[in-house]
Amino acid sequence: MDDHLLGWLTTLDEDRLARVLANRPDAIAAPWPRRLNTLAERLIDNLAVMEVMRGLPLPPLELLQACLVIGDRATEDELARFLGVPTCEVRPWLEHVYDHALAWPGPDGRIHLADAVARWWTAPCGLGDSLASFLEAWTLNVEELRRVSRRLGLSTQGGKRQLIGRICATLSDSDQLGALLADAPDGTLGLLDDFAWDGPVRSVNGERFTVEGTAEKWAADRGLLFRTRWDIAEMPREVALALRGPDYHPPFTPEPPDVATVRVDTAAAEHEMCLAAPHVVDRAAALLENTDKTPLPLLKNGGVGVREVRRVARETGSTEAETRLLLEVCAVARLIALDETAGGLVPTERFDAWRLEDAPARLRVLLSAWWRMERSSLRRQDGRYPTVLGDDAAGETVARIRWAVLGALAGLPEGAAFATLPELVQAVHWRAPLLDRELLAACCPAVLEEGRLLGLVSGESATSLGRALAHLGAVAGAEQDEQVPEVEHDPALIEHSTKALAGAQRTALFGPDLTAVVTGPPSAELASLLDRAADRESKGAASVWRFSPASVRRALDAGHGAESLLADLARAGTLPQALTYLIRDVARRHGEVTVTTVACIIQGSDPGLLAEIAAHRRLSKLGLRQLAPTVLASSQPAERTLAALREAGYAPVPVDDTGEITIRREPPGGKLILLPGGQVAELDTTPFALAEPPPDPREHARRLMHARDPERQPGQTWAVIGRLASRLPTAQQSLLGFVVDRGVRAMITLTDGITATISHGELRRNVLDAWCEEAGDYLEFPLAEISSVTSAY
């Protein structure tokens, strides 16, 4: 734990502390900290700090790099002087850094950085380690330091510390270094400039560091370069800064870049959103119903082949781009899964729940899945689309690019759009400078195209639905998340998804030529109804369906009755007499021929044996019926029928369709989730559970401000537990002590039989106050009533 950070946290008021916690929800995730010292430990966690840095725009990162260069002398004024800007320009972005607890001011005004910040940059501002670190850590004894001092024309008196101080002062001064370089061999200035501006580490010819008169040896003898390996040399930070000169200032861009924009018609953009949103919900339902009828096979090396994608697109009336995108979105949303028995992707039980939701809820499920999807469906590589549901090495970076691109679009004023794609890339780079710029440029067109299909983007501007989603990058969740992401329940997204679908048509014009015309985007419910009873002939500004005896028969086969189908259609519009006659005529002839399901057939050469089997009381559960003297029909599958016959004492064998005896391996059960990137996981068939609400920063700030110090004094853990937890053996008392001192997880059982999984405990009088995972809160457990403690790992 950093004492400087803890000291700063104790000086914050409730508003400022709540602001820090709002920017660092990782620090107050369950089990939330009860003390400022515990909070400080979480805030400086290396992985958490690096994760926060990945989401920062360019100015804070430039400030952090400058602080690393300045070192312990960093203050607001010194930072502004080094950057060459007024302090008033530095202060707002420095406050932004403080609010993320990546740095904090000390009582003397000096800026302290989290340790993990230095791990992000090996060479901040293109500068290496300090000269003192080279002189102290390098294999230089006092005599060698004196030789360096003599070459620099410095006094050789004093100990190692005095020698290092004089050398550093000389080489850090631009004027003194310039005077020194006046006597350098030819080529020295060019060599050092290469290290100063394009270093600090460069490949060198090691032999030249051993030959007198060379620029390399001259520079190394005077501490301007240090050869870390035979062919690698590095320039200290102070030397590089002195060579760059007193007028050098590292880049600082507190304002986003000026980018060219064009005006767009906001009303037209919103109209496009209202067309795209119902269409994507409709196409997703059509795709899922298609896979329900025909499982989507996978390639041997994973993913869905181009031929299958085009087949699904053709059968559902979608474009190839829509099909590619929706296949991957539905996989992330867990609406389709790999069923090995079926031989491909099929809808899951979650699809059954999804299609019963209203259209805005269905849209939000798709948007949430796209928002956290770690793959770009429509990004072309070498002129080709990647394999659907295949592997993508970029992974999580693709999702971050998506957040940054939509965020940049939403950052423009309403009615404005980026003039060109490079302008957009430039703006996104300022918002997320740590993203790979080459990958960003490659993904931007795909993100825009996907956004247009989903109703989030119109041209190069964000729609109101896209703006609502753009603010949810911090709560997007990971692709592997099982719980419902917070995105689906965001109030603003709920409002705008409802608005996007409000213009969907819920009525149709039924013609005497047995057609139904929907002028505008049909609602998902209307499209589903018409798809069940008619064949879609066209889509676009107006969609057309045509009824036929085959299409009506399809609806009746799916369970509709004639009158219920007529009633459903009548709610969508006035039905012509020709359509009513067609439906009733098809219904009258529907069922003239019946088909009985037979799960398997039992055959035998002895009619008496088969009669005995048919009359066997223990085999009544098979629902056996005699079709012929030597043929029985069973209502149970072949596997169950075989098992029941064998259990009853018979010796049946399975045969294939050709009559050959076969031994089949039992097919594996269960379904697998196939995610983009080739990831496979077991499908959890339990309903989606709503994720825990995010921590309330102000509530936690108030708790931390009023938290009392623990009553236990250091070193008393074992004594208190040994005296009060007398039911426990010594080993279990030790484990309970680790719950208090190290925050480990353990399972405890009380005398009344209640069990709890606990961690992060504190001792209070005669009770253990610990985090209970089952309750999701801190609870008190009397030490005297704890009867057993076991490890929870």
Side-chain angles (χ1 to χ4, degrees), residues 307-652:
R307 184 177 300 175
E308 287 298 324
V309 171
R310 291 173 177 169
R311 176 189 63 79
V312 173
R314 183 174 60 255
E315 293 179 0
T316 59
S318 305
T319 65
E320 183 179 344
E322 290 171 343
T323 304
R324 296 179 62 85
L325 174 62
L326 290 174
L327 274 174
E328 296 193 329
V329 166
C330 290
V332 176
R334 309 298 200 272
L335 298 177
I336 54 175
L338 174 62
D339 189 325
E340 292 181 335
T341 304
L345 296 172
V346 297
T348 68
E349 293 181 4
R350 290 178 184 171
F351 166 60
D352 297 327
W354 177 80
R355 62 181 170 184
L356 294 177
E357 297 279 357
D358 59 17
R362 277 180 274 173
L363 176 62
R364 291 194 300 274
V365 170
L366 300 177
L367 295 181
S368 174
W370 178 76
W371 197 227
R372 65 183 189 273
M373 186 171 72
E374 298 174 4
R375 183 171 176 80
S376 180
S377 304
L378 304 182
R379 173 166 59 104
R380 291 183 178 271
Q381 298 172 294
D382 299 326
R384 300 171 56 188
Y385 285 132
T387 302
V388 174
L389 296 176
D391 192 17
D392 193 331
E396 181 193 4
T397 306
V398 173
R400 292 183 175 275
I401 289 175
R402 186 179 297 118
W403 306 340
V405 169
L406 199 61
L409 294 176
L412 291 178
E414 289 192 25
F418 287 99
T420 63
L421 188 62
E423 302 281 352
L424 173 59
V425 172
Q426 183 181 357
V428 173
H429 179 68
W430 185 88
R431 296 177 61 90
L434 296 182
L435 294 175
D436 181 88
R437 190 153 189 173
E438 184 177 345
L439 180 62
L440 170 62
C443 286
C444 263
V447 172
L448 293 176
E449 187 176 356
E450 293 168 11
R452 295 185 194 105
L453 293 176
L454 295 169
L456 304 170
V457 176
S458 173
E460 275 69 43
S461 66
T463 64
S464 60
L465 184 64
R467 291 175 182 275
L469 185 62
H471 299 294
L472 301 176
V475 295
E479 191 177 77
Q480 295 78 19
D481 286 350
E482 283 292 330
Q483 292 184 320
V484 174
E486 187 183 342
V487 174
E488 296 178 24
H489 300 276
D490 179 73
L493 192 64
I494 291 175
E495 175 186 350
H496 289 285
S497 63
T498 303
K499 173 186 174 184
L501 291 163
Q505 297 296 317
R506 291 169 173 78
T507 60
L509 299 175
F510 294 95
D513 58 348
L514 301 179
T515 60
V517 180
V518 180
T519 56
S523 68
E525 295 79 9
L526 177 59
S528 176
L529 172 64
L530 294 176
D531 280 338
R532 289 195 300 271
D535 296 313
R536 190 181 302 220
E537 291 189 340
S538 67
K539 60 187 177 71
S543 300
V544 179
W545 282 263
R546 182 172 298 277
F547 292 88
S548 66
S551 68
V552 174
R553 190 180 307 116
R554 183 176 67 231
L556 298 178
D557 290 341
H560 281 283
E563 297 306 319
S564 65
L565 180 58
L566 287 170
D568 291 342
L569 293 172
R571 282 192 288 270
T574 303
L575 302 183
Q577 192 176 52
L579 178 57
T580 303
Y581 283 169
L582 171 66
I583 293 175
R584 286 184 172 148
D585 182 59
V586 173
R588 178 178 54 79
R589 292 182 288 108
H590 192 256
E592 289 178 340
V593 177
T594 62
V595 177
T596 301
T597 299
V598 175
C600 68
I601 296 295
I602 303 172
Q603 294 177 286
S605 57
D606 185 354
L609 177 60
L610 290 187
E612 175 187 329
I613 292 174
H616 203 297
R617 295 180 60 184
R618 293 179 60 185
L619 298 176
S620 59
K621 58 185 178 183
L622 296 179
L624 299 176
R625 287 169 295 153
Q626 193 158 10
L627 303 181
T630 58
V631 180
L632 295 178
S634 173
S635 62
Q636 298 297 319
E639 291 80 4
R640 293 185 183 178
T641 302
L642 282 167
L645 289 172
R646 287 165 179 163
E647 186 179 349
Y650 299 98

Side-chain angles (χ1 to χ4, degrees), residues 79-96:
L79 195 58
R81 185 202 63 76
F82 181 55
L83 294 172
V85 298
T87 304
C88 60
E89 290 189 20
V90 169
R91 188 172 291 118
W93 285 108
L94 198 55
E95 290 294 320
H96 187 79

Side-chain angles (χ1 to χ4, degrees), residues 728 732 735-736 739 744-749 756-758 786-793:
L728 301 177
Q732 294 185 21
L735 179 56
L736 197 60
V739 173
V744 303
R745 294 175 69 241
M747 177 78 73
I748 64 171
T749 303
T757 306
I758 62 169
I786 300 177
S787 59
S788 72
V789 182
T790 57
S791 175
Y793 290 97

Side-chain angles (χ1 to χ4, degrees), residues 118-193:
R119 300 185 182 186
W120 193 275
W121 292 286
T122 56
C125 299
L127 299 168
D129 290 337
S130 66
L131 178 59
S133 66
F134 280 101
L135 296 175
E136 291 173 355
W138 207 251
T139 56
L140 297 175
N141 55 32
V142 174
E143 189 56 38
E144 289 169 328
L145 288 173
R146 288 189 175 122
R147 280 197 291 270
V148 173
S149 298
R150 279 193 291 271
R151 295 185 185 107
L152 294 174
L154 303 176
S155 170
T156 59
Q157 301 300 314
K160 185 173 183 178
R161 185 176 298 276
Q162 288 78 18
L163 292 170
I164 290 176
R166 283 194 289 269
I167 294 172
C168 290
T170 299
L171 297 184
S172 300
D173 187 274
S174 296
D175 294 334
Q176 296 187 57
L177 184 58
L180 178 67
L181 291 173
D183 299 327
D186 291 343
T188 303
L189 188 58
L191 170 71
L192 296 179
D193 275 347

Side-chain angles (χ1 to χ4, degrees), residues 605-731:
S605 57
D606 185 354
L609 177 60
L610 290 187
E612 175 187 329
I613 292 174
H616 203 297
R617 295 180 60 184
R618 293 179 60 185
L619 298 176
S620 59
K621 58 185 178 183
L622 296 179
L624 299 176
R625 287 169 295 153
Q626 193 158 10
L627 303 181
T630 58
V631 180
L632 295 178
S634 173
S635 62
Q636 298 297 319
E639 291 80 4
R640 293 185 183 178
T641 302
L642 282 167
L645 289 172
R646 287 165 179 163
E647 186 179 349
Y650 299 98
V653 293
V655 296
D656 60 17
D657 293 339
T658 64
E660 295 293 330
I661 296 177
T662 61
I663 301 297
R664 293 188 176 90
R665 297 178 60 185
E666 184 176 351
K671 291 183 179 179
L672 300 178
I673 284 291
L674 178 71
L675 296 176
Q679 302 175 74
V680 179
E682 195 74 28
L683 172 64
D684 180 10
T685 58
T686 57
F688 256 149
L690 184 62
E692 288 293 325
D696 183 351
R698 183 162 294 279
E699 177 186 351
H700 284 288
R702 190 175 300 114
R703 287 172 173 168
L704 290 165
M705 295 288 291
H706 295 88
R708 298 177 300 173
D709 292 331
E711 299 177 7
R712 176 182 59 86
Q713 297 298 319
Q716 290 185 350
T717 299
W718 309 106
V720 172
I721 291 177
R723 178 167 52 86
L724 296 177
S726 56
R727 297 177 182 272
L728 301 177
T730 303

Side-chain angles (χ1 to χ4, degrees), residues 50-67:
M50 292 183 179
E51 183 65 22
V52 172
M53 290 176 63
R54 294 177 69 182
L56 292 180
L58 186 57
L61 298 178
E62 292 173 332
L63 290 181
L64 291 173
Q65 288 192 75
C67 287

